[in-house]
């Protein structure tokens, strides 16, 4: 998380926890599309607006979005990465993906992925990256020994799988069947 102080990184991780996974720990409820009023979030986390704005703006991956609703109330949500248990519908349109998308994962997962395909696990969607470098950095969060999978996203879309792109450029789909992905040869 380049550009943020350690304290700001901690706030960013708290925001991820509350806005993606466990809003109840802060006494908050996300609306159906994942939004919470900014004022409620500030009160719940006991932070000031300037500190929030710095983390939202300085975040390397634009993880959070702030927008005013039709009622004029400013709200914030995480752009992607929600747990299934919070039951958020981001309302993203179905879009045509590029022919190939990428997924970085620890090599230890490879045999299981080749057998079962990519599953969303605890999240709402499987997350796919638009380029190899991003996929590598996603995989490296978990292991030094990372494989990059090439996903035949174009073929999947033609076979009826829906793809969405989050506001911060992460590609989302429900699952990738085995047979429509392979290990990338360098
Ligand atoms: C693996 C970060 C075995 C999958 C990133 C991954 C991303 C399987 C793990 C976002 C499997 C799930 C999400 C199968 C999937 N057998 N392993 N059949 N199917 N897996 O964290 O994609 O920094 O839920 O390969 O940038 O790693 O938080 O998904 O290793 O966009 O904003 O199961 O998190 O964003 O792990 O990361 P995750 P992910 P932030």
């Amino acid at each position: 998380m380049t550009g943020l102080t350690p304290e700001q990184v901690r706030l960013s991780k708290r925001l991820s926890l509350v806005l993606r996974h466990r809003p109840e720990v802060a006494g908050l409820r996300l609306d159906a599309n994942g939004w919470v009023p900014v004022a409620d979030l500030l009160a719940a986390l006991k932070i000031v607006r300037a500190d929030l704005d710095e983390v939202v703006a300085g975040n390397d991956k634009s993880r959070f979005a702030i927008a005013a609703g039709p009622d004029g109330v400013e709200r914030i949500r995480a752009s992607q990465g929600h747990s299934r248990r919070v039951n958020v519908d981001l309302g993203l349109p179905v879009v045509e993906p590029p022919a190939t998308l990428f997924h970085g994962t620890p090599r230890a997962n490879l045999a299981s992925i080749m057998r079962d395909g990519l599953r969303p696990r605890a999240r709402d969607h499987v997350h796919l990256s638009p380029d190899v470098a991003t996929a590598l950095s996603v995989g490296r969060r978990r292991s030094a020994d990372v494989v990059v999978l090439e996903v035949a996203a174009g073929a999947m879309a033609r076979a009826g799988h829906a793809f969405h792109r989050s506001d911060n450029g992460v590609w989302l789909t429900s699952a990738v069947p085995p047979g429509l992905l392979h290990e990338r040869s360098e």
Side-chain angles (χ1 to χ4, degrees):
M1 257 180 267
T2 42
L4 296 188
T5 65
E7 197 184 340
Q8 289 172 329
V9 171
R10 274 199 299 280
L11 176 54
S12 178
K13 289 183 188 287
R14 268 173 90 201
L15 292 174
S16 284
L17 175 73
V18 167
L19 297 176
R20 290 175 172 177
H21 308 299
R22 301 184 64 84
E24 71 279 4
V25 300
L28 292 169
R29 277 185 65 160
L30 311 183
D31 75 12
N33 305 122
W35 298 99
V36 65
V38 171
D40 293 359
L41 180 76
L42 297 178
L45 299 188
K46 301 184 176 60
I47 56 172
V48 298
R49 178 64 191 257
D51 290 344
L52 177 69
D53 285 346
E54 275 173 20
V55 168
V56 170
N59 202 286
D60 56 350
K61 286 164 71 177
S62 304
R63 290 181 177 83
F64 311 106
I66 293 180
D71 54 3
V73 174
E74 270 196 306
R75 294 182 175 81
I76 183 169
R77 76 174 180 185
S79 293
Q80 39 72 226
H82 298 80
S83 291
R84 195 176 319 130
R85 63 181 289 283
V86 299
N87 202 19
V88 158
D89 176 3
L90 290 171
L92 297 170
V94 173
V95 283
E96 180 79 26
T100 305
L101 288 168
F102 303 92
H103 181 87
T105 192
R107 184 171 295 279
N109 290 337
L110 187 58
S112 163
I113 291 172
M114 296 315 281
R115 187 186 63 230
D116 299 337
L118 281 170
R119 305 265 149 223
R121 296 282 181 95
R123 302 200 197 240
D124 259 352
H125 296 97
V126 168
H127 289 218
L128 301 172
S129 305
D131 55 72
V132 174
T134 306
L136 276 172
S137 68
V138 171
R140 285 191 183 124
R141 296 177 309 144
R142 298 180 185 282
S143 167
D145 189 8
V146 170
V147 290
V148 173
L149 304 169
E150 284 188 10
V151 172
M156 278 181 66
R158 287 192 292 280
H161 293 261
F163 283 80
H164 311 277
R165 191 177 50 226
S166 73
D167 291 343
N168 62 338
V170 177
W171 285 88
L172 307 170
T173 193
S174 296
V176 178
L180 286 170
L181 48 77
H182 62 268
E183 185 180 352
R184 185 180 149 78
S185 51
E186 294 306 322

